[in-house]
Amino acid sequence: MKIAIASGKGGTGKTTLSTNLASYLAETNKVVLTDLDVEEPNSGLFLKSELIYSEDKYKMIPQWKESDCTLCGICQEACNYHAVIQIMDSIMVFPELCHSCYACSELCPTNALPMIPKKMGELKHYKTEQFHFVEARLSIGEEQAVPLIKQTLKYIDSNYGNDYLKIYDSPPGTSCPVIEATKEADFVILITEPTPFGLNDVILAIETMQELHKDFGIVINRYGIGNNDIVNYCHNNNIPILAKIPNDKEIAILYSKGELLYNSIPAVKAELEKIAQYISALSANYLPTQIPKNN
Amino acid sequence: MKEIVVISGKGGTGKTSITASLAVLGGKEVVVADCDVDAADMHILLQPENLKSEDFYSGELAVLDQNLCTQCGNCFDVCRFDAISVNNGIHQVVDLSCEGCGYCARVCPVDAIKNIPLNVGKWHIANTRFKQPMVHAKLGIGADNSGKLVAHVKNIAKEIADQYNRKYVLVDGSPGVGCPVVSSLSGAHFVILVTEPTVSGLHDLKRVYELVAKFNLRAGCIINKSDLNTSKSKEIMQFFKHKNIIHLADLPYDEAFTHAMTNCKTIVEEDDSAIKTILEQVWERVKTEVRNKN
């Protein structure tokens, strides 16, 4: 079963929930946690883990071969992203604009634009005491998160079968990176805080999940601050509230140090248990997920 | 006209609350641009009244006409985005996966595929409740090209500033280090980084600063909730020193921020707030820095 944790607004507790939930569920399940917030991956900061594998990730971009080029202009015309431009008698490629569609390269009559790999980021695979953790990290200056998210999801799919509970820490927002990170998920947990900002952004996230026809539920973080609007909104729209993590300065302090919460704060453990039970009830539909760990 | 951009790397550090506060302090000197088009929140605090709204088109979407399609499969063969699905021999475009490259349309022998311009969101010119011009936008669900919408919002804000002789464009940027942030930063005269003393706050600050450094921009930083973890705050200050980042201010962990936000107000509207004094100093300092640059 695949569970994505997303939020709309940044800083509402995605990474806190992902790391604590993965750790808690790993006590009784086989779990792999993946950090898909490739622009700012943070999950690893909260986990004690050992690196077991890493690889560079590449995207393909065209490279101009001057000797074979007839300056026919087809490449420039074919590129919808203006990533290939003819200036005087040379062809310029702008890698950060390139989407790797291959049109310029394959439509070139003289094969003067072969595709070559360009590093866009790194994938690292770690092992904690209880579960596996994969992180993808976009190189600074690379603008497109989607290709790296795609490759990371492929890595997970080819390394982990259905007997694993797969948890994805997703990027914030509602645009293309979030869609990529959540579109294959069986269930999405949207985490928010009970403030006007939190409500505004979670409604955007809810609309996104409805558009994707996703099954989803809400976790309210820092419960107790702000107002009751998010609770009312969920009740009025029949959206399940899976858990309410209390507002507590102690939680903020533990988080600031990079520590997991549930072993020190019983109220957090109780809320994680509620989420675990909800997932367990759902996963009956996604057998054979709940295979005991030692089998 | 000078452009001041507020970013944070990590979300939820108080970027928007602080930007809106600076906008209030800046009064008639500023044009506000909310470039966090993915999850725009500044309108909640500044309650702009929209004067003009327009759709924003960027990029394209492939549309396949089944009446013309011979199901030859050329489109499927060339698409690198898994955006052509085949069910029982029938080819269809998967809208959410299509990146609008147009390759499929080019190889279709019967012109059954057309590329249509994609509506990716809406942008607005507005008046805030402080009677300042504000440009803001909302990206459509799952839309690509947020970087282009960001650039557009900024350009409109700059035009307004020029036309009405406003000294500053104050930009609320988006989290992360990807295309919308790159668009937010391009052309900036000064960058305000908002961070918090947490492991992730520092980690994300370092990454986003790498980007700021690539653009060769001058930057200052506000540490929000600085007393939450004083040793982490010190570590952040070490980083400033090392990188020549101006330490603009420390703000205490104070739930008054959230209370103000819950009332849809900025913290500088609370009369007896100590944070107000600090932010007034920040705004003066930022103006000095921007003036000194040229």
Side-chain angles (χ1 to χ4, degrees), chain A residues 31-45:
Chain A
V31 170
V32 54
L33 170 66
T34 310
D35 195 340
L36 293 176
D37 187 0
V38 302
E39 293 182 40
E40 296 285 19
N42 286 154
S43 284
L45 298 168

Side-chain angles (χ1 to χ4, degrees), chain A residues 186-198:
Chain A
D186 300 306
F187 186 71
V188 181
I189 298 175
L190 298 175
I191 183 160
T192 187
E193 54 179 44
T195 62
F197 284 10

Side-chain angles (χ1 to χ4, degrees), chain B residues 76-92:
Chain B
F76 178 85
D77 291 342
V78 300
C79 181
R80 292 304 198 288
F81 308 111
D82 302 322
I84 304 287
S85 68
V86 196
N87 283 316
N88 298 323
I90 303 295
H91 292 75
Q92 273 173 323

Side-chain angles (χ1 to χ4, degrees), chain A residues 18 69 102 120 131 174 184-185 194 204 209 286:
Chain A
S18 302
C69 180
Y102 284 67
M120 64 172 166
F131 60 98
T174 53
E184 300 296 328
L204 297 176
M209 293 310 132
Y286 299 99

Side-chain angles (χ1 to χ4, degrees), chain A residues 5 13-20 35 37 42-44 46 169 255:
Chain A
I5 296 173
K14 269 185 314 299
T15 299
T16 305
L17 181 62
S18 302
T19 50
N20 280 279
D35 195 340
D37 187 0
N42 286 154
S43 284
F46 298 85
D169 186 1
Y255 172 85

Side-chain angles (χ1 to χ4, degrees), chain A residues 10-11 39-42 77 80-81 99 102 106 137-138 143 173-175 183 196 200-201 204 212 247 255-256, chain B residues 9 11 38 40-41 60 80 96-97 99-101 103 106 138 142-143 177-179 199-200 203-204 207 229 255 261:
Chain A
E39 293 182 40
E40 296 285 19
N42 286 154
E77 200 251 325
N80 266 5
Y81 310 111
H99 286 225
Y102 284 67
E106 292 176 357
R137 180 174 289 261
L138 195 68
E143 297 187 22
T174 53
S175 64
K183 76 181 181 192
N200 181 68
D201 296 351
L204 297 176
L212 291 172
N247 184 44
Y255 172 85
S256 79
Chain B
D38 218 20
D41 284 332
E60 295 182 337
R80 292 304 198 288
L96 270 175
S97 296
E99 296 200 14
C101 71
Y103 198 0
R106 278 169 215 283
K138 191 185 167 197
V177 296
C179 65
V199 287
S200 29
H203 169 271
D204 294 357
R207 272 173 69 79
N229 183 333
E255 291 190 357
M261 188 228 285

